[in-house]
Amino acid sequence: MSDSESGQHEPFEPPVQWKFFLRRSVIPEKLLGCLGSAISGSDQQCLCGKQCFCNLVRSLISLDATCSSAPLSILRSGGKGYGLFAQRAIAAGSFVTEFTGELVKLVAEGDLGRYSIPLRCAPHFVLDAGACGGKARFVNHSCKPNSVMVEWLSSAKLDCAPVIALTDIPSGQEITIDYKEPSTFGWDEEQPCLCGSSPECHPPHALLSYGMVRSWAEEAMFYAVVLPPQDGDAILEQQIWDVDFGVHPGPGAQKHLRRRDMEGSWL
Ligand SMILES: C[S@@+](CC[C@H](N)C(=O)[O-])C[C@H]1O[C@@H](n2cnc3c(N)ncnc32)[C@H](O)[C@@H]1O
């Protein structure tokens, strides 16, 4: 009898290796201003264009969200393998955890592994937690998710990929996100979705039916930008990998990828 059939949850800790990966330990505590002003000293337009998304971002992430990850367990989640579960209640808008992984160049579309997410802000790169990452790599897909994974950009640089609670999550509930695209985390279009959220179930390959409002909201979430925290320099020292956009990361923007060594110097 499988774990899921017996109803037993078997704790599991992922191996964490110390290699190069995107990670930061502090999330700015407050969202300040609009993106247009967040790119300080520039006259670049706000990426949100006419439909300013700052209100959406503010409504998504609570102003008192902090860097501390919620206590989470990795447990069996039915036929989905392992999943992430809240050990305590998590309030909507809270920082749940951070997706950490190696920044890897995508050679071919099929390269996306079970623990790799494509990056919207750097389309030819993925964050890969296969060999090196944290608990967030066990987050499963749901068509009715209670959380969202976003790409935080600070001063037009990719800072981290936190998972934020969209709803109040009771203790013991599984943390889920919408994978959005079929290739995310090696999702196989042929595989059935086991999220159990019928009738809302629309596995990642059915995303085109979302409609305009939804896709606008998703774009907005992926371009959430915050001002750097006061101690931004200290934090940057801890950041081994960095994505440096020569200009702002809007559509068609020229992108430069640079790499830092362990001391933080550019290679
Ligand atoms: C990032 S991993 C999530 C952790 C995974 N459950 C594990 O034990 O390694 C992504 C993989 O989990 C499985 N998965 C996630 N959500 C699922 C769902 N709603 N239905 C079926 N399989 C799912 C898929 O195989 C997917 O490629």
Side-chain angles (χ1 to χ4, degrees), residues 64-131:
D64 55 356
T66 65
C67 58
S68 44
S69 179
L72 303 168
S73 305
I74 298 164
L75 304 168
R76 286 299 230 174
S77 178
K80 294 176 283 182
Y82 288 98
L84 266 186
F85 291 79
Q87 278 178 15
R88 288 208 290 269
I90 301 171
S94 300
F95 175 76
V96 178
T97 187
E98 175 185 358
F99 187 87
T100 59
E102 294 174 274
L103 191 59
V104 177
K105 187 157 189 186
L106 189 64
V107 179
E109 282 299 319
D111 281 356
L112 276 169
R114 189 176 174 86
Y115 300 112
S116 301
I117 46 166
L119 289 173
R120 297 216 172 175
C121 65
H124 303 301
F125 285 78
V126 298
L127 271 184
D128 182 3

Side-chain angles (χ1 to χ4, degrees), residues 176-190:
T176 55
I177 62 168
D178 187 335
Y179 283 5
K180 301 185 178 73
E181 291 166 27
S183 52
T184 305
F185 289 131
W187 182 277
D188 176 358
E189 288 198 40
E190 302 299 318

Side-chain angles (χ1 to χ4, degrees), residues 80-82 114-115 137-141 179 185-187 191-195:
K80 294 176 283 182
Y82 288 98
R114 189 176 174 86
Y115 300 112
R137 73 179 181 169
F138 290 102
V139 70
N140 283 319
H141 164 88
Y179 283 5
F185 289 131
W187 182 277
Q191 75 179 82
C193 178
L194 301 174
C195 76

Side-chain angles (χ1 to χ4, degrees), residues 152-165:
W152 285 85
L153 306 178
S154 172
S155 294
K157 289 180 181 173
L158 177 63
D159 247 5
C160 70
V163 176
I164 307 288

Side-chain angles (χ1 to χ4, degrees), residues 245-266:
F245 299 97
V247 289
H248 80 72
Q254 191 187 354
K255 298 178 179 70
H256 305 283
L257 280 153
R258 299 169 70 189
R259 192 182 145 190
R260 289 181 177 188
D261 63 17
M262 291 294 284
E263 277 70 50
S265 305
W266 293 112

